[in-house]
Amino acid sequence: MTSPIVLMHFDEPEGVNPSDSLGNLENMFTEPGIVAPVVVATWTGVGRRFLQASTSGLVAGDISANGTMLPRDATIQVLIAPILTGASGPQTIIARGINDGSTPERYAYGLEIEEQAGNPGYFEIRWFWQDGAGTIITAPPGVFKHAGDGVEVMLTATRRWEGSTRVVVRYYIDRRMIAELVTTDGTISGGVTGSTSIGARKAGGTWGRFLNATIDELLVTDYEMSADEIAQTFDRLTVHQPAGSAMFQGLAPPGATWFDNPSNGIGRRAKVVGQGLGLALSTVSELRSVFLPDKAPAWLVARWERLYALAAKPLDSLDVRRARVLARMAADEGYSIPALQASFATLFNLEAEEVEILEFANEIRDSFATLEAERWSQGTIGTWDIAAPGELRITVTSGTPVPVNVTPNPCHVWTPIDRDKIATFFVHAYAQGKIADYAGLPSGAFVGMFLHARIGSRTFWFGVFNNPATATNQLGYCELNLAGYIIAFTALATIAAGPIWLRIKVAPAVGIFSGPTDAITLSWSTIGPSTGFASATVNASPVYDLVGFGVHTVATPGVDIVARFDDFVLWTPESLRPFAWFAYRDPALAGSYDLIGACALARKVSPAHMYAAACASKSLICGDPIFGQVGYVPMGADL
Amino acid sequence: MLDLVASSRPVFNPATPKLTFTVPPEPGGLYARKGDVLFAILVHAPADGFTLPAGWTNVGNDGASVATVHYIARMVDDREPASFVVSLLASSAEWQGALLVLRGSGALALIKEASSSATFTADATPDTPTAPCLQAINLAIVTWSAATALTLTPPAGYAAIDTYSTALVGARSVLFALARANQTGTLSPGAATASGAATGRAFVIVLRDAMPLQPAELVDLVPGNIGLVGIDTRAPREIPFGA
């Protein structure tokens, strides 16, 4: 809602009770304890003089079909001339509720002023309300200097409810904000069909805190007015309307004295016309100033949001909503990296170049400068670490047997072949790795790469085995197949010590459903990662979902098993990785950011065949768009 | 409104003797712009003195031999150096400090609203003196200076700017903390927490951007002006074509 709720002009003549121009309140009246304020001349024409010594005050109830209950955001704007002479203590401008113990009459909002104790000539202006327990909460005040008794000024107070523990209050004098403060007392009580009092506050059946000032006009809205709106309002009153009057008067023939006396009939009529012209000019000026989303007030930013199909959350501040629209507008400049960086910069509260766009290819490479816990899951047997010069090292203590099955606990590091999908057909893909060192491999120990399928718990090993039968290191393979049967090691070559590059690949022409008779090509090279490969085709299932490095033994090792691996490459041409991109916001950089708004922007700007999100973490936790997409980070964690 | 943008810790050299402050530089979103105020807090024990650097304003000092604090300030201009040096008069005191970059300040002469100090002796919860505060938007900066190496934690509602221990002359610990006053009247920051019995002095300074403003008057020789209006924010009606 973005509407005015109460608008009091106080232009009724003496003897006629003031009324709310918007029709949400009954006609204001007096009762025992308060007397009607007298009519006086004010800047707009007439107003009401609330005299503390006379206990002036007015009260009215809600008209049942409408309501003035505002439990969240609100703005109170008043043209008022405070008078210090004869004043003491807090003075109520308006209070919604008469605090009679019932919930509907708890103060939902209220505004008061008071001369500062010990600082004469300075006023505090402050919000107040009651919480769910009926405790009166007084928000931190703004402070301004008294302009002088009878000097009419414009005061505005806004309240933005962000949560039960955070309410932001702002205070303005004329067009300037004098304070923005936060209170943690955000439980605001009150109920529909209550009462509103002006110039006094009632509690427990007794009136008090009487105002000592002249109120010219009073406006209450159900939204937080922006600083721009407030500035435009004051400019209308003090710049545009007088300019309109001056413009009309300037149309008089040169030398004419029609408007020399502005208080005569012609002068007043000219002023009416001029003020109308000024109001129109002001409206145009305000629209020019606030129509773009960077300055749009709440009621206008909602239209921008509809145009861009953006949805604001209930507690989004105006600044957040503006930033989201601006980001969406920036995204319209194109789907390029620089354009995307510029789009997310506002929501991330960063410079464009600080926004990282994460994009992926079908190939994963790992040179093991570090052991990335997000990529590699470790078994429980042995110790994996990174040894100089950046190689993955496994150490298994002598006397520790390691089963050939990589589940549930043995000695391995593994990574999913394609996301976290179970039973990936390892077709058209290959995995490659380097056994950098395996010197001193004890008899019966195997080190190398493996493929594993969690369905059926099948493992295919390819690597170096110190064969007890031959007492030599042999390159070969073995398998724990679907039936739980260990297919004995098959040697492919006898090799000398030294690095060896291993590659496992499924031939693309193989029928996927042929079972264990499908062909897998095993290749190895002692020269380098790209040359000198010898190959052999073996029969095994092509269905696996994990790949990694590991160790297993057929006999308890008599010495420590120490091996090093490096240069991991995984190529999955059918992977969906290239179809995902992320806008990454480094949380270590200073400033707050709107991740949810950024996620919405990512989805908006991304082509239909892509998955996109904003994230503040690069870690793999969970999630896959095909499986319902449980997160917003490269690996899916929901932040 | 005053806001803290950045801070840095000075280097104390008792041999020279001097305190060298580094102005927080770009990039990283923390930098001193023209119009910002560099607000330096210098605290020492026992008694000592310093030479006010050229271009700096002495905002005030508090305390005595147990510990003394000095506040100096300067408004950043186009030729702000990356660092500045405060020359000390003697090398018999342990000097510590903090440099704050404050944004939103008005005239330097009005930046200080109030200050106070109080000692604490062998107290694991060294209390803080109260100070008057006229505007809720003011910043309250509290400094605790204690003998020996201790871990100091600010009271609830106050954010630590910096805390450290040095012993170049005599072991001392210091904690600088800050909070928006969020109230008027007497400000009572509350007690800090020390890792042991602390002896020293606590200082409070209340900073403001300016004196409270006076609203502009709505004045007209002849009463009668259009005042407040309620904006019609209803969606515009769409009249069907041909209606």
Side-chain angles (χ1 to χ4, degrees):
Chain A
M1 289 286 286
T2 51
S3 304
I5 299 298
V6 173
L7 179 55
M8 306 291 299
H9 289 295
F10 293 111
D11 51 6
E12 294 79 3
E14 196 78 56
V16 178
N17 287 335
S19 62
D20 167 32
S21 300
L22 300 177
N24 287 321
L25 291 177
E26 299 169 340
N27 290 341
M28 306 215 80
F29 60 92
T30 60
E31 63 178 34
I34 52 175
V35 298
V38 297
V39 174
V40 293
T42 60
W43 184 75
T44 65
V46 289
R48 294 287 174 133
R49 172 74 166 93
F50 292 82
L51 191 60
Q52 196 171 75
S54 302
T55 66
S56 303
L58 295 167
V59 67
D62 286 343
I63 293 178
S64 60
N66 304 305
T68 60
M69 172 57 183
L70 301 176
R72 300 287 183 257
D73 298 357
T75 296
I76 300 173
Q77 190 166 66
V78 63
L79 303 183
I80 186 171
I83 300 170
L84 278 179
T85 303
S88 65
Q91 306 172 40
T92 304
I93 294 174
I94 185 172
R96 200 294 185 173
I98 57 174
N99 194 13
D100 63 359
S102 66
T103 299
E105 292 291 2
R106 287 197 181 133
Y107 304 131
Y109 60 83
L111 191 66
E112 63 182 19
I113 57 174
E114 182 179 7
E115 186 181 26
Q116 269 197 322
N119 195 23
Y122 290 87
F123 272 106
E124 290 188 4
I125 177 172
R126 50 194 184 228
W127 283 93
F128 63 88
W129 57 81
Q130 281 180 284
D131 65 12
T135 304
I136 298 175
I137 307 299
T138 303
V143 178
F144 63 93
K145 186 178 180 182
H146 181 41
D149 283 0
V151 173
E152 186 165 330
V153 300
M154 187 176 94
L155 303 177
T156 310
T158 66
R159 180 177 78 184
R160 181 173 77 244
W161 186 89
E162 294 187 347
S164 59
T165 58
R166 181 178 169 86
V167 178
V168 180
V169 295
R170 289 176 172 172
Y171 305 100
Y172 299 79
I173 56 169
D174 46 71
R175 74 196 315 275
R176 298 170 289 176
M177 184 170 69
I178 58 172
E180 178 183 85
L181 299 156
V182 176
T183 175
T184 57
D185 296 298
T187 306
I188 301 172
S189 191
V192 298
T193 320
S195 306
T196 299
S197 65
I198 296 175
R201 181 169 117 180
K202 195 174 186 181
T206 303
W207 288 99
R209 298 184 174 231
F210 296 99
L211 182 66
N212 204 55
T214 298
I215 296 183
D216 192 349
E217 298 197 335
L218 176 65
L219 171 69
V220 179
T221 71
D222 64 355
Y223 67 97
E224 176 199 20
M225 267 192 202
S226 66
D228 309 287
E229 280 181 276
I230 295 167
Q232 289 296 322
T233 297
F234 192 76
D235 288 349
R236 173 173 64 77
L237 302 182
T238 58
V239 175
H240 298 295
Q241 285 173 187
S245 297
M247 179 177 67
F248 186 75
Q249 292 170 15
L251 296 174
T257 59
W258 299 345
F259 307 114
D260 284 1
N261 181 1
S263 65
N264 66 18
I266 293 178
R268 291 177 183 273
R269 286 175 176 81
K271 188 175 183 182
V272 168
V273 177
Q275 289 266 308
L277 290 173
L279 177 61
L281 290 172
S282 169
T283 304
V284 172
S285 173
E286 180 176 359
L287 194 59
R288 286 177 59 203
S289 174
V290 304
F291 85 98
L292 288 175
D294 61 329
K295 297 285 188 185
W299 61 272
L300 192 53
V301 80
R303 296 192 65 184
W304 283 106
E305 289 169 337
R306 282 196 295 274
L307 287 171
Y308 279 101
L310 297 172
K313 298 191 310 298
L315 301 182
D316 280 343
S317 69
L318 182 59
D319 290 338
V320 169
R321 296 171 71 184
R322 287 172 174 174
R324 190 178 291 130
V325 174
L326 289 172
R328 183 65 182 90
M329 293 176 76
D332 285 345
E333 293 183 11
Y335 188 60
S336 64
I337 298 292
L340 289 174
Q341 288 178 301
S343 304
F344 286 95
T346 303
L347 291 169
F348 282 175
N349 196 12
L350 297 174
E351 299 298 323
E353 56 268 21
E354 293 175 312
V355 175
E356 289 185 52
I357 303 298
L358 307 178
E359 45 185 354
F360 310 93
N362 293 102
E363 185 178 84
I364 296 174
R365 288 178 176 267
D366 199 334
S367 60
F368 296 110
T370 60
L371 181 54
E372 296 182 24
E374 299 92 338
R375 168 165 287 135
W376 299 100
S377 297
Q378 299 182 28
T380 56
I381 299 176
T383 302
W384 293 91
D385 64 358
I386 299 296
E391 295 173 341
L392 176 65
R393 178 175 62 187
I394 177 61
T395 304
V396 178
T397 307
S398 66
T400 307
V402 184
V404 64
N405 191 342
V406 296
T407 57
N409 296 323
C411 182
H412 68 262
V413 290
W414 74 33
T415 188
I417 291 172
D418 184 7
R419 295 161 286 148
D420 198 32
K421 184 177 179 181
I422 294 179
T424 300
F425 288 107
F426 191 59
V427 179
H428 307 141
Y430 77 76
Q432 179 171 307
K434 169 187 174 184
I435 307 177
D437 181 68
Y438 52 90
L441 192 65
S443 177
F446 184 107
V447 298
M449 294 182 66
F450 67 87
L451 301 174
H452 181 73
R454 282 174 285 186
I455 293 180
S457 194
R458 290 176 295 102
T459 309
F460 183 90
W461 289 91
F462 178 42
V464 177
F465 179 51
N466 188 334
N467 195 338
T470 62
T472 56
N473 286 335
Q474 294 179 316
L475 177 75
Y477 66 94
C478 68
E479 184 181 5
L480 180 68
N481 66 13
L482 190 62
Y485 179 67
I486 299 175
I487 299 175
F489 176 79
T490 301
L492 297 174
T494 299
I495 56 172
I500 181 166
W501 285 263
L502 306 175
R503 184 184 294 169
I504 309 174
K505 184 174 181 178
V506 174
V510 169
I512 294 176
F513 298 99
S514 302
T517 59
D518 294 335
I520 291 181
T521 302
L522 304 176
S523 306
W524 63 96
S525 170
T526 57
I527 298 175
S530 308
T531 58
F533 278 89
S535 298
T537 300
V538 302
N539 291 330
S541 170
V543 181
Y544 304 97
D545 44 74
L546 302 172
V547 62
F549 298 101
V551 171
H552 74 261
T553 62
V554 299
T556 302
V559 297
D560 289 354
I561 302 173
V562 181
R564 297 184 178 205
F565 306 95
D566 203 356
D567 296 346
F568 175 75
V569 179
L570 177 63
W571 181 65
T572 53
E574 297 171 356
S575 169
L576 296 181
R577 284 171 54 85
F579 295 99
W581 66 270
F582 298 85
Y584 172 66
R585 205 289 184 188
D586 187 351
L589 297 177
S592 61
Y593 46 93
D594 176 10
L595 199 61
I596 294 178
C599 277
L601 174 64
R603 289 186 180 84
K604 272 292 178 185
V605 302
S606 187
H609 67 284
M610 299 283 288
Y611 169 75
C615 63
S617 168
K618 297 179 181 179
S619 293
L620 168 62
I621 301 177
C622 65
D624 184 305
I626 292 179
F627 286 92
Q629 191 262 304
V630 297
Y632 304 102
V633 294
M635 309 303 179
D638 185 353
L639 294 180
Chain B
M1 276 171 36
L2 272 178
D3 282 301
L4 175 67
V5 176
S7 66
S8 66
R9 179 189 302 178
V11 174
F12 171 47
N13 184 344
T16 333
K18 64 182 178 181
L19 267 175
T20 303
F21 289 85
T22 301
V23 179
E26 293 184 76
L30 303 174
Y31 55 95
R33 299 175 184 167
K34 182 179 178 180
D36 288 347
V37 167
L38 303 180
F39 189 83
I41 307 172
L42 295 75
V43 61
H44 62 89
D48 199 347
F50 69 99
T51 302
L52 184 67
W56 284 74
T57 299
N58 194 340
V59 178
N61 58 75
D62 247 321
S65 60
V66 173
T68 306
V69 73
H70 305 271
Y71 305 108
I72 61 175
R74 169 181 166 79
M75 190 162 283
V76 175
D77 58 24
D78 289 328
R79 294 164 297 173
E80 201 61 38
S83 65
F84 64 94
V85 172
V86 177
S87 298
L88 311 174
L89 298 185
S91 58
S92 56
E94 185 76 16
W95 284 79
Q96 297 165 319
L99 176 66
L100 312 183
V101 180
L102 303 174
R103 187 159 296 164
S105 174
L108 272 186
L110 298 173
I111 196 170
K112 171 185 166 183
E113 182 164 287
S115 66
S116 61
S117 70
T119 57
F120 48 87
T121 304
D123 193 348
T125 54
D127 207 348
T128 314
T130 62
C133 180
L134 298 181
Q135 297 186 77
I137 57 173
N138 288 347
L139 287 185
I141 299 173
V142 189
T143 303
W144 291 267
S145 175
T148 71
L150 295 168
T151 300
L152 299 171
T153 308
Y158 279 76
I161 301 170
D162 196 4
T163 179
Y164 62 97
S165 300
T166 54
L168 296 174
V169 176
R172 294 200 67 79
S173 301
V174 70
L175 166 66
F176 304 97
L178 170 146
R180 181 80 59 196
N182 231 39
Q183 66 166 91
T184 57
T186 301
L187 208 57
S188 302
T193 305
S195 58
T199 297
R201 202 173 192 96
F203 309 90
V204 179
I205 185 166
V206 179
L207 301 180
R208 63 188 173 195
D209 58 346
M211 291 292 290
L213 302 176
Q214 178 173 312
E217 181 181 1
L218 293 169
V219 61
D220 200 331
L221 294 177
V222 179
N225 293 276
I226 299 175
L228 302 179
V229 297
I231 299 175
D232 184 353
T233 59
R234 294 171 299 177
R237 288 187 306 160
E238 291 186 4
I239 301 175
F241 179 77

